[in-house]
Structures are given as structure tokens and as C-alpha cells.
Amino acid sequence: MSKLPTISGKDCIKALQAVGFYQKRRESSHVILRRDQPFTQVVVPDHQELAKGTLRAIIRDVDLSVEEFVALL
């Protein structure tokens, strides 16, 4: 298992937008992103630093490996 970087919510959103996600809506400090093909929806907290478990869950939900996600940053 690769080591996760410490990133902000904004950096995570930019990386996910690079693989086809777009902002569906925003509720307080959480951004809901959606991808149509294949359909996936994920919630990203817009925090200064994402917790490691939260980031790992987001990466798992969007069917990327940690290495693929780090390459998008």
C-alpha cells in the first residue's frame, strides 16, 4: 500500500475533476462531485487537510489506486 499525501479538499477536487468529475452541489463545507460514465458520486470535505482515512475512502469510492490518484495531483 502506497503512502498517502497530505492534501486539502480543493486539491482532491482538482484531481477528481481531471478524471471526469464535476461539482453537482455544495452543502456547507462539503462538495458533492459526480461522474456520469461510469456513474459515481462522492462527497469531498472542503477542509484545509483531509484525514488519511477520508482520503483513502474517497480514492476507493472512485475506483482509483493510490498511485493513480497521486499521479493526478
Side-chain angles (χ1 to χ4, degrees), residues 39-59:
F39 179 80
T40 308
Q41 188 164 295
V42 67
V43 178
V44 179
D46 190 10
H47 299 159
Q48 294 227 349
E49 184 176 314
L50 291 178
K52 299 290 184 183
T54 303
L55 181 57
R56 190 169 299 279
I58 291 169
I59 293 170

Side-chain angles (χ1 to χ4, degrees), residues 23 33 36 38 51 63:
Q23 182 173 333
L33 299 172
D36 294 327
D63 293 327

Side-chain angles (χ1 to χ4, degrees), residues 11 14-19 64 66-73:
D11 292 336
K14 286 179 188 175
L16 293 176
Q17 286 175 336
V19 290
L64 290 175
V66 174
E67 293 80 16
E68 292 170 329
F69 183 79
V70 169
L72 294 171
L73 293 176

Side-chain angles (χ1 to χ4, degrees), residues 12-41:
C12 180
I13 291 168
K14 286 179 188 175
L16 293 176
Q17 286 175 336
V19 290
F21 282 85
Y22 60 91
Q23 182 173 333
K24 177 71 175 161
R25 67 183 186 276
R26 180 183 186 97
E27 292 182 10
S28 186
S29 66
H30 291 76
V31 179
I32 293 85
L33 299 172
R34 180 178 280 180
R35 177 178 62 192
D36 294 327
Q37 289 301 107
F39 179 80
T40 308
Q41 188 164 295

